């Protein structure tokens, strides 16, 4: 590639990525030359400023039409812009949490944490804009490798060491499975570009190998579900969530999970939308039972196992697994509604989960424990923590007037609105939601109806701002969901994604 070709690309579409890359590089250089005893707090402000600048640049790009550069390996479209907003907003809130995280053994690595966090964010953002299997995989590995290191940053904590070890071993296995599935996709189509794969999947010659197409789908889908902690590749989540520092746990539960759904949507919807299954039936219809069983198993395992957890971080790990099961339900529909349903639910999940982890961080740092007993009598000693936590838990449970209810209701009605309607999947969703009330409401009961233990909890300004922002967001979206949905429909063309595929396939045919 010569210089003229390089200069001909519209590099401005990658402005958010360039900002994150530049700030991460700057952080690593500054941290290298800072004295060991110096406070790393300025690095948090710089990292937060970089993420905020990238977020603003995304909003400035909302009016830009679909643009692809680097031979269609990077693509700025409605899909990428919508999910990058979630990724950047989640990371910004995590940075506020991490700047107030008090752990002596993390202080040594505080600077390292911030540029690893931005590196992971950069990988997730590249996944959102990738239109090629290779760049998708590079983004996935950048996110994964940074996450492995962040999970083990508390080097003197044996649980943190154990979580990092389990994470990297299980992550390596999932990566191998994903690559195995992608190798079949490449072998069948001879392409790595997602749109060219979609074109070649409709080739009549592939009808002779329809079994291999189904096999490639199942293997790739199974490998990618590791990132969202869906069954059966979910067992890493409880140990990693428990052992990792709280800000890292919050990042994995929100940003990393969002990135997991991004790559699932990118690969599965684009690559297999025109692919034939066995007996010439469309593969996305043929594999519906497989996805339904996966979603149902994830919902059941997550909610039932959470009932017996005493460690609050493990409980939220199983809650996160269950939430992944709910978000998998729209994959069964194969309609354009899949994007807004998943986007809205992930937006609501971002606020309620980061808000809950903010409270957990404040309590666990003061009490020196992550046992559920740290919530005893919280309303009497710190009502400004108990009330927001109540709203976060109610939203996770899907109680009306919260964003979580609107998200679950949309997914539930989406499952019933199909032809034929998936009644049993909707029934599993409703039954497991009722099961989740037991452990969610138990937290509320402990806060309001148990004797007070411990002293009043002091809330730093940054943490108070996160709590107020997350609480207001889930209540506003619960009462007025049109605010988010109007923004989504006004700025992101839900049909653009499918039109891109049709246009690209039509172009290549000629």
């Amino acid at each position: 590639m010569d210089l003229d070709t390089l200069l001909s690309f519209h590099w401005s579409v990658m402005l958010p990525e360039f900002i994150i890359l530049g700030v991460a590089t700057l952080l690593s250089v500054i941290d290298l030359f800072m004295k060991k005893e110096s406070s790393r707090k300025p690095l948090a402000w710089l990292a937060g400023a970089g993420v905020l600048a990238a977020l603003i640049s995304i909003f400035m790009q909302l009016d830009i039409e679909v643009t692809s550069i680097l031979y269609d390996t990077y693509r700025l479209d409605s899909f990428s812009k919508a999910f990058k907003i979630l990724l950047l907003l989640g990371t910004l809130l995590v940075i506020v949490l991490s700047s107030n995280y008090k752990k002596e053994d993390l202080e040594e690595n505080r600077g390292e944490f911030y540029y690893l966090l931005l590196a992971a964010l950069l990988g997730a953002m590249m996944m959102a804009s990738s239109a090629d299997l290779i760049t998708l995989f590079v983004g996935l590995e950048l996110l994964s490798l940074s996450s492995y290191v962040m999970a083990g940053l508390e080097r003197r904590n044996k649980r943190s060491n154990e979580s990092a070890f389990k994470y990297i071993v299980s992550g390596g296995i999932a990566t191998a499975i994903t690559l195995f599935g992608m190798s079949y996709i490449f072998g069948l189509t001879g392409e790595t570009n997602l749109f060219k794969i979609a074109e070649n999947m409709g080739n009549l010659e592939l009808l002779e190998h329809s079994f291999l197409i189904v096999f490639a789908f199942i293997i790739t889908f199974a490998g990618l579900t590791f990132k969202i902690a869906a069954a059966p590749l979910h067992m890493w989540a409880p140990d990693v969530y428990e052992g990792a520092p709280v800000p890292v746990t919050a990042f994995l539960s929100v940003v990393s999970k969002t990135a997991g759904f991004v790559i699932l949507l990118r690969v599965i919807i684009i690559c297999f939308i025109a692919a034939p299954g066995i007996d010439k039936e469309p593969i996305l219809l043929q594999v519906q039972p497989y996805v339904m069983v996966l979603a149902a198993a994830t919902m059941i395992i997550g909610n039932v196992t959470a009932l017996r957890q005493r460690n609050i971080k493990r409980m939220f790990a199983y809650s996160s697994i269950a939430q992944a099961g709910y978000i998998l339900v729209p994959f069964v529909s194969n309609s354009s509604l899949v994007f807004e349903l998943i986007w809205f639910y992930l937006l609501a999940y971002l606020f309620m989960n980061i808000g809950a982890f903010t409270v957990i961080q404040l309590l666990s740092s003061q009490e020196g424990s992550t046992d559920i007993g740290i919530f005893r009598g919280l309303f009497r000693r710190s009502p400004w923590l108990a009330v927001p936590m109540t709203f976060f838990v109610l939203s996770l449970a899907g109680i009306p007037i919260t964003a979580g209810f609107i998200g679950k209701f949309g997914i539930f009605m989406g499952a019933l609105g199909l032809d034929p309607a998936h009644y049993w999947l909707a029934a599993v969703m409703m039954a497991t939601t009722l099961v989740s009330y037991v452990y969610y409401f138990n937290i509320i009961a402990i806060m309001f109806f148990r004797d007070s233990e411990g002293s009043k909890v002091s809330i730093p300004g940054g943490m108070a701002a996160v709590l107020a922002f997350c609480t207001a967001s889930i209540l506003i979206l619960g009462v007025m969901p049109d605010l988010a949905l109007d923004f989504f429909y006004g700025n992101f063309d839900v049909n653009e994604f499918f039109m891109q595929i049709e246009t690209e396939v039509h172009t290549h045919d000629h």
Side-chain angles (χ1 to χ4, degrees):
M1 188 185 298
D2 56 30
L3 183 61
D4 291 336
T5 307
L6 275 174
L7 294 174
S8 68
F9 293 134
H10 298 286
W11 292 106
S12 58
V13 298
M14 290 189 72
L15 180 60
E17 285 84 356
F18 286 139
I19 292 173
I20 297 299
L21 176 62
V23 174
T25 306
L26 186 61
L27 285 173
S28 62
V29 173
I30 293 174
D31 184 54
L32 186 65
F33 289 100
M34 286 181 78
K35 293 180 180 178
K36 190 176 182 180
E37 61 273 10
S38 299
S39 171
R40 266 34 181 193
K41 203 104 174 186
L43 298 183
W45 300 335
L46 182 56
V51 174
L52 186 60
L55 186 59
I56 292 170
S57 70
I58 288 286
F59 282 100
M60 291 169 61
Q61 293 179 334
L62 290 180
D63 295 331
I64 297 177
E65 295 182 356
V66 178
T67 307
S68 66
I69 60 173
L70 298 171
Y71 302 106
D72 208 23
T73 57
Y74 179 95
R75 181 175 287 248
L76 183 72
D77 52 18
S78 292
F79 177 89
S80 62
K81 287 181 279 191
F83 283 97
K84 280 180 192 177
I85 288 172
L86 299 186
L87 296 169
L88 287 162
L89 183 58
T91 306
L92 186 61
L93 295 175
V94 168
I95 288 172
V96 179
L97 260 67
S98 63
S99 66
N100 293 277
Y101 189 65
K102 298 289 189 288
K103 272 289 181 75
E104 289 182 6
D105 47 358
L106 187 62
E107 289 296 331
E108 300 174 12
N109 311 305
R110 184 62 63 87
E112 184 180 332
F113 169 78
Y114 292 119
Y115 50 82
L116 282 170
L117 184 71
L118 293 188
L121 170 64
L122 180 62
M125 291 172 68
M126 288 302 299
M127 286 159 58
S129 281
S130 289
D132 192 276
L133 287 179
I134 296 173
T135 48
L136 266 172
F137 185 74
V138 170
L140 177 63
E141 284 303 282
L142 182 57
L143 169 64
S144 300
L145 293 173
S146 302
S147 301
Y148 300 153
V149 180
M150 287 193 294
L153 275 181
E154 293 182 4
R155 288 184 290 196
R156 298 189 187 94
N157 184 344
K158 289 184 178 178
R159 286 197 177 277
S160 185
N161 298 338
E162 180 186 347
S163 74
F165 177 75
K166 288 183 176 178
Y167 196 13
I168 196 168
V169 170
S170 54
I173 294 170
T175 298
I177 295 171
T178 304
L179 271 180
F180 185 55
M182 286 182 174
S183 70
Y184 270 86
I185 295 173
F186 174 71
L188 288 165
T189 62
E191 297 286 350
T192 58
N193 182 276
L194 301 183
F195 295 97
K196 290 181 180 177
I197 288 172
E199 174 202 353
N200 289 353
M201 279 289 186
N203 196 323
L204 292 176
E205 293 178 7
L206 281 184
L207 290 175
E208 301 173 13
H209 309 288
S210 55
F211 171 75
L212 290 178
I213 297 175
V214 175
F215 181 76
F217 175 93
I218 291 174
I219 295 296
T220 307
F221 194 90
L224 293 176
T225 54
F226 168 84
K227 217 58 196 157
I228 62 173
L233 297 176
H234 67 282
M235 285 309 296
W236 63 272
D239 293 325
V240 174
Y241 279 36
E242 181 184 1
V246 178
V248 177
T249 305
F251 178 84
L252 294 177
S253 71
V254 174
V255 181
S256 184
K257 189 178 289 290
T258 300
F261 280 104
V262 164
I263 193 171
L264 268 177
L265 285 166
R266 273 286 188 196
V267 173
I268 300 306
I269 301 298
I270 297 181
C271 290
F272 293 98
I273 193 167
I278 299 171
D279 299 328
K280 299 183 181 180
E281 187 181 5
I283 190 171
L284 291 182
L285 289 176
Q286 204 159 65
V287 297
Q288 271 188 357
Y290 165 72
V291 181
M292 289 163 66
V293 169
L294 211 64
T298 305
M299 289 186 279
I300 293 168
I301 290 170
N303 283 307
V304 172
T305 316
L307 294 172
R308 297 186 58 83
Q309 302 304 315
R310 288 287 305 172
N311 185 292
I312 191 67
K313 289 170 77 177
R314 288 186 75 86
M315 180 186 292
F316 269 82
Y318 284 108
S319 163
S320 178
I321 292 167
Q323 303 292 336
Y326 300 139
I327 307 173
L328 275 175
V329 173
F331 275 93
V332 178
S333 65
N334 297 324
S335 73
S336 60
L337 283 176
V338 69
F339 297 115
E340 51 260 51
L341 289 176
I342 291 177
W343 185 84
F344 184 89
Y345 197 90
L346 285 171
L347 177 66
Y349 183 69
L350 185 156
F351 295 128
M352 53 199 183
N353 228 42
I354 287 187
F357 275 111
T358 303
V359 178
I360 291 170
Q361 177 173 311
L362 286 166
L363 291 176
S364 61
S365 61
Q366 177 164 309
E367 304 294 333
S369 169
T370 52
D371 187 84
I372 198 171
I374 60 178
F375 287 95
R376 290 178 69 93
L378 183 62
F379 179 69
R380 292 184 179 85
R381 52 194 171 102
S382 291
W384 292 108
L385 278 183
V387 172
M389 186 66 181
T390 301
F391 285 121
F392 301 142
V393 169
L394 291 176
S395 188
L396 284 163
I399 301 300
I401 78 152
T402 64
F405 169 76
I406 301 297
K408 277 187 181 172
F409 181 76
I411 291 174
F412 182 79
M413 294 307 294
L416 292 179
L418 301 174
D419 187 22
H422 296 290
Y423 293 110
W424 77 268
L425 188 61
V428 170
M429 186 176 176
M430 185 178 289
T432 52
T433 299
L434 291 173
V435 170
S436 73
Y437 291 173
V438 177
Y439 61 88
Y440 285 137
F441 290 173
N442 183 45
I443 298 173
I444 298 175
I446 291 172
M447 289 193 296
F448 285 85
F449 305 115
R450 296 289 187 274
D451 293 334
S452 179
E453 288 187 2
S455 57
K456 185 177 179 179
V457 183
S458 60
I459 310 174
M463 306 284 269
V466 171
L467 286 174
F469 178 66
C470 291
T471 306
S473 297
I474 61 171
L475 291 176
I476 291 171
L477 292 179
V479 177
M480 295 182 289
D482 287 348
L483 287 177
L485 293 174
D486 288 345
F487 171 77
F488 183 89
Y489 289 121
N491 293 284
F492 311 121
D493 185 357
V494 293
N495 295 315
E496 177 190 274
F497 196 72
F498 296 102
M499 288 172 63
Q500 284 180 59
I501 301 170
E502 292 177 10
T503 303
E504 292 288 335
V505 171
H506 183 74
T507 302
H508 290 306
D509 282 343
H510 289 77

